[in-house]
Amino acid sequence: METTMDDRKTIPRWARWAAYAASAWSLVYGGLGLHWAWGGAGFPFGEGDLPGARAKSLLGGVTASGTAPVIAALGFAGAVLALVMARARPRGAARAAVLATAWSVALALVALIPDARVMTAVGYAPIVLAGLPFGWPDGDYLGVALPWPVLNLILCMAGGLLWAGAALAFQRRTGDSCGGCGRSAREGATWTTPASAARWGRRAAYTAFVVPLLYAAVRWAWVLNVPLLLPKEELRQLHESGLVWAGAGLATFAAAGGVLTLGLVHRWGEVWPRWVVGLAGRRVPPALPVTLASAVTAVLLAAGTQIVRDTDWGDPAVWLTDPTTYWPVWALSLGAATLAYHLRRRGRCRHCGLV
């Protein structure tokens, strides 16, 4: 059954176009798959990926001839499915199947197909921008950190976020919940109340604050020539190449991000503090920290899933002393803290009136 006029009055704008956007993305990417299947250049996975990165990629062993037709078929099928999600109201098993498929697509595109190269590209971008007027660092950032295979991973991640939005909108529209806030007139779960979210959100936020500090401490130790968790010879090479400073810059931004996470549970995350010139004392728009923190969560989740794949979990001596193995914890805790912040600040819904 199609969406009624009354539905359109209560469904927020983003929920109306989310499925159409996911359909358009799937259609375009399916077209790319068809291009690669016909022998076109630019296949970004497996044999078309960067040689040094193939071992780290989930699709590192695929070929264009075997995988491109599958990408085309899945892309076109996804475009059709997203249109169905935008217009139909399936019930029961059909609804469950559509939801499971949509969320699976979102998870694959956000967390499984991308890898830590997205985090590297995003993390070093501020360093490059800050050093641009001074000609530092040397080298071609776009060529090294953002070649086409990495840009493709970012493109996949963007598609995954669109699919997550489409899945969420469909889930709310076809269920007994408000299309704007997800709340129901029936008694809801207690963990979503502002008081409950404040409690578990605080624990999540402080976890997301501590994990990047551990990573930063190791990188800063290397700058001070302390071979913490690293052989002395490798540390010497980092200093000779100058890469130790790039790592320190990345660690500094990670630590700063951890500090900003605390804003999700403190007042300065709701009202601009005095040192923010021009905005001091004004209300922080909830969408701003939620959007930024959600994007960072997605990037961390992609890096974290690669860490899970690559780590030898059978050797505790290796993963317990490697700060990168805690990135999945960082991603999940930041995501939880962001959700708690949203639940605390969403207030009365202008669509359904529930608080």
Side-chain angles (χ1 to χ4, degrees):
M1 183 173 63
E2 295 187 359
T3 303
T4 67
M5 184 60 69
D6 289 338
D7 290 331
R8 295 190 183 101
K9 293 178 181 179
T10 59
I11 296 176
R13 184 176 301 175
W14 72 265
R16 298 177 201 168
W17 58 255
Y20 293 109
S23 178
W25 182 91
S26 299
L27 184 64
V28 170
Y29 208 81
L32 284 174
L34 195 60
H35 164 74
W36 298 324
W38 286 343
F43 183 70
F45 303 110
E47 62 181 3
D49 202 347
L50 302 176
R54 294 173 191 169
K56 302 291 185 180
S57 173
L58 182 66
L59 300 178
V62 304
T63 62
S65 60
T67 306
V70 177
I71 292 175
L74 291 177
F76 295 145
V80 174
L81 176 62
L83 289 179
V84 171
M85 292 168 62
R87 306 296 298 175
R89 281 182 177 270
R91 299 293 183 182
R95 176 180 181 270
V98 171
L99 273 177
T101 302
W103 282 116
S104 296
V105 170
L107 177 64
L109 290 172
V110 169
L112 300 182
I113 294 176
D115 51 47
R117 286 177 288 174
V118 176
M119 181 179 178
T120 301
V122 172
Y124 282 119
I127 301 174
V128 173
L129 292 175
L132 196 60
F134 311 100
W136 185 90
D138 295 331
D140 178 12
Y141 169 77
L142 293 179
V144 174
L146 285 175
W148 162 238
V150 178
L151 288 174
N152 172 69
L153 297 181
I154 297 175
L155 178 62
C156 288
M157 185 172 289
L161 294 176
L162 291 177
W163 267 97
L168 182 61
F170 176 81
Q171 179 174 312
R172 291 177 175 177
R173 184 172 61 84
T174 59
D176 185 21
S177 59
C178 171
C181 67
R183 285 172 282 202
S184 173
R186 297 180 302 177
E187 185 176 353
T190 57
W191 68 271
T192 63
T193 62
S196 179
R199 289 192 295 271
W200 58 263
R202 180 173 291 273
R203 293 192 291 269
Y206 274 94
T207 302
F209 163 69
V210 170
V211 173
L213 286 185
L214 297 175
Y215 171 76
V218 173
R219 292 289 188 148
W220 290 333
W222 295 352
V223 171
L224 298 175
N225 213 28
V226 177
L228 183 61
L229 307 178
L230 189 72
K232 291 184 178 180
E233 178 60 26
E234 293 185 23
L235 181 58
R236 182 185 64 80
Q237 294 175 1
L238 285 178
H239 275 272
E240 290 179 352
S241 65
L243 290 176
V244 68
W245 295 104
L250 182 60
T252 300
F253 280 108
V259 172
L260 289 176
T261 301
L262 296 181
L264 298 175
V265 293
H266 286 279
R267 179 170 172 75
W268 56 269
E270 301 179 20
V271 178
W272 292 108
R274 288 176 293 179
W275 51 266
V276 181
V277 179
L279 294 174
R282 297 185 181 182
R283 177 176 178 267
V284 176
L288 177 62
V290 168
T291 301
L292 294 178
S294 297
V296 174
T297 298
V299 172
L300 289 173
L301 197 58
T305 54
Q306 178 185 323
I307 294 296
V308 170
R309 293 196 304 267
D310 295 342
T311 299
D312 180 10
W313 298 103
D315 188 355
V318 172
W319 60 266
L320 283 174
T321 57
D322 184 355
T324 64
T325 59
Y326 299 97
W327 284 357
V329 178
W330 186 7
L332 295 176
S333 58
L334 178 57
T338 305
L339 176 60
Y341 178 88
H342 164 70
L343 293 174
R344 284 195 304 107
R345 297 204 61 198
R346 60 183 176 175
R348 184 180 297 277
C349 178
R350 63 187 179 89
H351 298 282
C352 67
L354 293 176
V355 179

